[in-house]
Amino acid sequence: MTANIIKNIKIFIKNHFNITVFLALAVVVFSLYGKTLFYDWQYLDDDVLILDKQDYLKLSNIKNIFSDTFFNTPGDSGYRPLLNVSFAADRTFSGLNPLGYHITNILIFLFTIFSVYLLYSYKNNKSWAFVFALIIGVNPMLCATVARVVDRSDSLLTLFSVLSFYFLFRYVEEKNRRIFYLFLHLFLFLSVLFIKEVSVVLPVIFLVFYVFKKSGNRQRQTKNSGCPAVNYLNSCNTKKEYLEFLSLCFLWALCVIVFLLFRKSALNGLYQTSMLTVFVEYLKIISGNLTVLIKYFYNLIFPVTDKLDTVYDISFFIITFLIFMLIFINTKYKNIKLILFAVFSFIILFIPTMIMNNHMHSYFQNRIFLPMVCMYYVLVNCFEKENFSFKKAVVCVLIFIIIFYSSITYFRLNRYQNRWTAFYGELKDTPDSPYINAKFGMLLADAGLFEQAEQRLLTAIKLEPYNYNHYNNLGSIYIKTRRYKEAEKYFLTAYQLNPYDENINYNITSLKNYFKNL
């Protein structure tokens, strides 16, 4: 069986790996993102995930990587072992040198864009598929996925998800080698679960996609033949498809269960609330974060990352909506089901983001990667039909967009050169993010800029008054500046919020001993 799988893989690569398209995308990607090879660490999680874990990130330690949480720290509920394995592979060859990690980021991004081309070109015009894959490849919203080492998670998420979709598509549409396509689809889906937790929503999208494709195929078969015998065969096929549908649901559920069992083992000992409590809390968070979809929706066309007010956000949203409507109206290809599927996928893919961010002060532009691929798939299907009006004008507009996006991307990448440019850029985009303010505060403190660090920590406390780490970190800054009474005040506040934290208890004990020795 293994020999057959390898044989099928060789046949697939030979028949479908378009080397010309791949090289063209490689030239664009390396020309645009090549300067990131010389960028330093940004200290936006790369410090705690890579720099502080050099002894942990070893390929010989894979067993522990799969049995530990993502950050491998007390209270951490993340679980992304395959992402940590990618860091471990880079660490093996590059150590603390960021060059090797940035090379990997660019290569992952390149293969992701090529996988988008594979999906778009399947049963579609290859020229339009290449154009839209290229638009995604130069999109300014995806700068962080290449320039920031830890944000390769979104590239890997998109790569494995798109390929999983692609092989599900082939499994549904083709009659030959269906078991081979199903195996690849499930393998890629199981893999993506271990890359980023948000992928647990993919089975819902797979399910809707399967029903959408199968119903479309049956309609075409019935429309093309009025023969009673054909209608009878279609009825038989429907029964087979029903069993196939149940089998797929079982296999998807099995993959998720395997992932959840591994995750539960890694999170063993971490306090877990009841499922009902979690569900109710999630509903509250989602309802409070629905406005995030407005910004992400207009980011599909307008790569605006600066913090804007409600009027500007709504204006960009309306303009983006009208552009999509104009495209759909001007093409004779009006597949309403496909449009609804894309919109449904776009919303579903952002639900985990809305759940994980219990406030609207953390905006992660790179999370638009996979939802963007879903929405652009509709545009590919619209544009590839020869009936589209004003075709030459459309081509000119798309070429302009590629050049315009590339220019913005090239200059926006500069913000990721080092820790200072990265934090000033993040603070500009999300000034109300408690995480960015707190992290930047500690970075300033390490550089001896204590007054600026104090202001950042005070801002973080104002935005997130229930986070004990902010108080503890501010107390540590006051210790360094010999403001011991103020340090005691913030240490005690941190203790009230979390009396079990070892670091807080150590700081309070040390401070008490200091006062005794006065």
Side-chain angles (χ1 to χ4, degrees):
M1 182 173 177
T2 305
N4 289 333
I5 293 174
I6 295 174
K7 180 181 178 182
N8 283 324
I9 291 175
K10 289 181 178 179
I11 293 173
F12 172 80
I13 293 174
K14 181 180 179 180
N15 294 337
H16 301 281
F17 193 90
N18 191 319
I19 190 65
T20 303
V21 171
F22 181 80
L23 290 176
L25 291 173
V27 169
V28 173
V29 168
F30 274 93
S31 299
L32 189 59
Y33 297 98
K35 63 181 181 179
T36 64
L37 295 175
F38 308 100
Y39 286 1
D40 201 356
W41 302 103
Q42 288 96 35
Y43 282 73
L44 286 165
D45 286 344
D46 52 17
D47 51 339
V48 293
L49 283 172
I50 300 172
L51 300 181
D52 298 340
K53 294 169 61 176
Q54 288 292 294
D55 292 334
Y56 178 82
L57 293 174
K58 297 178 180 178
L59 293 178
S60 59
N61 198 37
I62 285 182
K63 181 180 178 181
N64 289 330
I65 290 176
F66 273 86
S67 60
D68 294 332
T69 58
F70 183 40
F71 285 89
N72 193 25
T73 56
D76 176 34
S77 60
Y79 184 64
R80 304 176 184 180
L82 282 183
L83 183 56
N84 272 335
V85 168
S86 75
F87 296 148
D90 280 338
R91 182 263 176 204
T92 301
F93 298 102
S94 303
L96 292 173
N97 188 345
L99 174 61
Y101 298 83
H102 286 303
I103 291 174
T104 302
N105 267 31
I106 293 179
L107 289 175
I108 291 173
F109 185 76
L110 171 61
F111 280 102
T112 303
I113 299 304
F114 183 72
S115 72
V116 172
Y117 167 77
L118 280 181
L119 178 66
Y120 286 177
S121 63
Y122 182 66
K123 297 200 171 182
N124 282 321
N125 184 287
K126 288 180 170 51
S127 297
W128 286 118
F130 175 76
V131 168
F132 279 94
L134 190 58
I135 289 176
I136 294 176
V138 302
N139 199 295
M141 297 301 299
L142 306 179
C143 287
T145 62
V146 183
R148 285 180 54 182
V149 173
V150 295
D151 281 344
R152 72 171 58 163
S153 59
D154 289 284
S155 288
L156 287 171
L157 168 70
T158 305
L159 172 62
F160 281 78
S161 299
V162 167
L163 289 177
S164 185
F165 265 112
Y166 175 72
F167 288 112
L168 177 62
F169 202 163
R170 296 187 71 91
Y171 171 76
V172 172
E173 291 286 330
E174 299 185 13
K175 296 181 180 179
N176 298 324
R177 298 202 297 273
R178 297 187 77 230
I179 300 300
F180 170 67
Y181 294 137
L182 178 61
F183 169 79
L184 289 179
H185 162 67
L186 293 173
F187 172 77
L188 290 163
F189 171 55
L190 183 61
S191 298
V192 78
L193 287 170
F194 288 90
I195 291 172
K196 204 166 185 179
E197 301 92 327
V198 298
S199 55
V200 294
V201 303
L202 287 177
V204 179
I205 301 174
F206 289 155
L207 187 151
V208 175
F209 176 78
Y210 178 85
V211 174
F212 158 67
K213 293 304 298 181
K214 281 297 184 181
S215 62
N217 290 345
R218 284 198 300 272
Q219 289 177 0
R220 287 195 298 270
Q221 291 172 1
T222 304
K223 183 178 180 180
N224 292 336
S225 177
C227 176
V230 172
N231 292 335
Y232 173 75
L233 290 174
N234 286 339
S235 176
C236 294
N237 288 335
T238 302
K239 294 177 182 178
K240 292 180 180 179
E241 289 170 4
Y242 181 69
L243 292 175
E244 182 180 82
F245 171 75
L246 292 179
S247 300
L248 282 172
C249 288
F250 170 77
L251 292 171
W252 292 330
L254 184 62
C255 290
V256 174
I257 290 171
V258 170
F259 164 73
L260 291 177
L261 288 175
F262 272 86
R263 184 176 184 273
K264 182 179 180 181
S265 176
L267 271 58
N268 186 32
L270 184 66
Y271 174 73
Q272 299 286 321
T273 56
S274 67
M275 291 298 294
L276 179 61
T277 303
V278 171
F279 181 73
V280 172
E281 186 64 25
Y282 279 2
L283 288 179
K284 292 180 181 178
I285 294 172
I286 291 172
S287 62
N289 280 342
L290 286 176
T291 51
V292 73
L293 291 176
I294 293 177
K295 190 170 182 64
Y296 279 118
F297 179 72
Y298 71 69
N299 282 156
L300 289 170
I301 295 179
F302 298 101
V304 181
T305 59
D306 294 343
K307 180 179 173 61
L308 301 175
D309 58 30
T310 305
V311 175
Y312 280 100
D313 283 336
I314 294 176
S315 299
F316 276 117
F317 176 83
I318 292 173
I319 294 172
T320 303
F321 178 79
L322 292 176
I323 290 174
F324 274 98
M325 289 302 298
L326 182 64
I327 293 172
F328 297 147
I329 290 172
N330 275 276
T331 179
K332 294 182 180 180
Y333 178 77
K334 296 180 176 65
N335 192 329
I336 302 301
K337 287 184 178 180
L338 180 60
I339 295 171
L340 292 176
F341 169 73
V343 173
F344 170 79
S345 301
F346 183 83
I347 295 172
I348 290 295
L349 287 169
F350 276 121
I351 284 180
T353 295
M354 291 188 288
I355 289 173
M356 289 185 291
N357 297 327
N358 56 6
H359 46 73
M360 269 302 299
H361 305 308
S362 292
Y363 170 66
F364 302 97
Q365 53 191 278
N366 44 292
R367 290 182 179 172
I368 201 175
F369 202 164
L370 184 56
M372 178 186 288
V373 172
C374 293
M375 289 298 291
Y376 276 27
Y377 181 70
V378 180
L379 298 181
V380 173
N381 280 269
C382 290
F383 278 77
E384 70 98 18
K385 304 300 178 183
E386 298 298 329
N387 295 322
F388 199 94
S389 305
F390 313 112
K391 189 173 180 180
K392 291 183 178 179
V394 168
V395 171
C396 292
V397 170
L398 292 177
I399 292 174
F400 170 78
I401 289 174
I402 291 172
I403 297 172
F404 181 63
Y405 279 3
S406 299
S407 301
I408 297 176
T409 297
Y410 185 81
F411 290 104
R412 186 175 290 181
L413 286 169
N414 293 333
R415 65 182 287 177
Y416 300 104
Q417 293 181 58
N418 53 57
R419 67 189 76 178
W420 301 109
T421 58
F423 269 98
Y424 279 117
E426 292 295 319
L427 202 60
K428 179 183 177 182
D429 288 350
T430 56
D432 296 332
S433 168
Y435 170 78
I436 295 299
N437 277 279
K439 190 87 173 178
F440 195 22
M442 297 309 296
L443 187 66
L444 290 165
D446 290 340
L449 303 172
F450 297 114
E451 289 186 10
Q452 297 179 41
E454 178 187 7
Q455 293 305 313
R456 291 294 119 214
L457 266 300
L458 287 172
T459 301
I461 288 173
K462 183 179 179 181
L463 294 168
E464 199 175 33
Y466 49 82
N467 191 324
Y468 62 90
N469 284 312
H470 302 332
Y471 297 92
N472 188 52
N473 290 333
L474 184 55
S476 299
I477 290 175
Y478 287 142
I479 288 290
K480 293 178 180 179
T481 55
R482 299 186 179 185
R483 297 159 66 179
Y484 300 113
K485 285 294 182 182
E486 292 174 88
E488 181 183 31
K489 171 187 173 182
Y490 282 94
F491 283 150
L492 291 176
T493 304
Y495 178 81
Q496 291 174 357
L497 292 170
N498 186 2
Y500 306 106
D501 186 86
E502 294 180 2
N503 192 26
I504 295 173
N505 282 280
Y506 172 80
N507 287 335
I508 291 175
T509 303
S510 298
L511 194 59
K512 284 182 178 179
N513 291 333
Y514 171 79
F515 286 136
K516 286 180 181 180
N517 295 326
L518 286 179

